[in-house]
């Protein structure tokens, strides 16, 4: 039986755990209809998880008895940061959800020259990422950073990541590209990168890569590229 998973700032070092969280208590009792002695999995967001049985449910809190502490084995070892141009609301939310399921470690929204939408809803996107991380069996929720301008993003990536992968139709196939354990992945806006941005990325040592001969929507490209970068 697959157990419901919850990721939070849980102290898993104790046998008895009381969580003061009205939303969690409501989800357990009213949404999932769980009761005392039902098992769940609690993750501390740092790579550890515990099988826990519900001791009691109150309106604003939940109590658990921790039975088995272990490392989350499903969490990918390669650290991939997705630098994604801000897309239309539903498209960026889809990227956040599926990139989380694919194992991305963090997401940085960026403003590029052809970016149309200029902002995101960080609270909503963070909630989407948390639910996706729990659903997919991860041990941590990816970090969502504040939006950056393209120039700042490419400079930061070049100085902090072992491999910078810049997706553009002019590049070599991403499949087969040798990657380090720390990867920065750049995805452009709906209208594609401005040529000056491609030149800037190349000048900063980025690998210019392609996802094939077909023209993909930005959200499709982001999801595919994250999976390849994390898993292959």
């Amino acid at each position: 039986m697959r157990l419901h998973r919850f990721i939070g700032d849980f102290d898993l070092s104790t046998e008895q755990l009381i969580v003061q969280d009205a939303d969690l208590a409501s989800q357990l009792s009213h949404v999932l209809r769980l009761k005392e002695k039902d098992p769940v999995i609690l993750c501390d967001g740092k790579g550890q998880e515990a099988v826990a049985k519900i001791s009691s449910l109150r309106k604003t809190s939940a109590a658990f008895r921790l039975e088995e502490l272990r490392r989350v084995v499903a969490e990918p070892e390669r650290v991939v940061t997705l630098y994604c141009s801000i897309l239309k609301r539903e498209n960026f939310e889809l990227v956040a959800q599926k990139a989380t399921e694919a194992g991305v470690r963090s997401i940085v929204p960026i403003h590029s020259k052809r970016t149309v939408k200029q902002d995101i809803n960080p609270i909503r996107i963070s909630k989407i990422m948390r639910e996706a991380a729990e659903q997919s069996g991860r041990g941590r929720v990816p970090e969502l950073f504040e939006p950056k301008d393209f120039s700042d993003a490419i400079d930061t990536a070049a100085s902090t990541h072992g491999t910078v992968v810049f997706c553009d139709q002019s590049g070599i196939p991403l499949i087969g590209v040798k990657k380090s354990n720390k990867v920065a992945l750049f995805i452009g806006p709906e209208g594609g990168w401005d040529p000056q941005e491609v030149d800037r990325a190349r000048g900063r040592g980025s690998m210019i890569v392609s996802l094939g001969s077909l023209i993909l929507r930005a959200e499709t490209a982001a999801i595919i590229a994250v999976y390849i970068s994390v898993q292959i």
Side-chain angles (χ1 to χ4, degrees), residues 84-108:
C84 185
S85 296
I86 298 176
L87 310 173
K88 295 177 183 178
R89 182 182 64 102
E90 62 274 14
N91 295 343
F92 197 88
E93 291 174 359
L94 179 65
V95 168
Q97 180 187 57
K98 300 306 178 185
T100 297
E101 292 177 14
V104 78
R105 181 65 63 89
S106 55
I107 298 177
V108 184

Side-chain angles (χ1 to χ4, degrees), residues 183-229:
V183 176
L185 172 65
F186 279 77
I187 297 292
E190 286 92 342
W193 297 111
D194 182 89
Q196 291 183 346
E197 291 171 333
V198 180
D199 290 341
R200 175 69 178 270
R202 184 178 287 109
R204 295 293 283 144
S206 305
M207 291 193 299
I208 312 300
V209 303
S210 168
L211 295 175
S213 59
L214 299 177
I215 305 298
L216 303 177
R217 294 174 63 94
E219 62 271 24
T220 306
I223 296 166
I224 292 173
V226 166
Y227 180 81
I228 294 173
S229 299

Side-chain angles (χ1 to χ4, degrees), residues 78-215:
R78 182 174 290 145
V79 177
V80 175
T81 298
L82 172 62
Y83 291 82
C84 185
S85 296
I86 298 176
L87 310 173
K88 295 177 183 178
R89 182 182 64 102
E90 62 274 14
N91 295 343
F92 197 88
E93 291 174 359
L94 179 65
V95 168
Q97 180 187 57
K98 300 306 178 185
T100 297
E101 292 177 14
V104 78
R105 181 65 63 89
S106 55
I107 298 177
V108 184
I110 58 175
H111 297 284
S112 56
K113 288 188 176 181
R114 295 176 180 172
T115 298
V116 176
K117 185 172 174 57
Q118 297 297 311
D119 59 354
I120 63 170
N121 184 336
I123 295 176
R124 176 173 169 80
I125 292 174
S126 295
K127 181 175 184 292
I128 289 171
M129 292 167 66
R130 174 174 299 279
E131 291 175 349
E134 291 173 344
Q135 182 276 326
S136 57
R138 295 192 58 176
R140 66 176 74 235
V141 179
E143 185 172 4
L144 177 66
F145 287 88
E146 293 185 358
K148 281 180 171 285
D149 289 334
F150 170 79
S151 57
D152 292 337
I154 197 69
D155 289 346
T156 299
S159 61
T160 59
H161 292 77
T163 304
V164 180
V165 174
F166 192 90
C167 291
D168 184 75
Q169 282 292 112
S170 64
I172 62 175
L174 176 56
I175 293 289
V177 168
K178 186 177 181 180
K179 298 175 285 292
S180 68
N181 196 48
K182 195 173 184 181
V183 176
L185 172 65
F186 279 77
I187 297 292
E190 286 92 342
W193 297 111
D194 182 89
Q196 291 183 346
E197 291 171 333
V198 180
D199 290 341
R200 175 69 178 270
R202 184 178 287 109
R204 295 293 283 144
S206 305
M207 291 193 299
I208 312 300
V209 303
S210 168
L211 295 175
S213 59
L214 299 177
I215 305 298

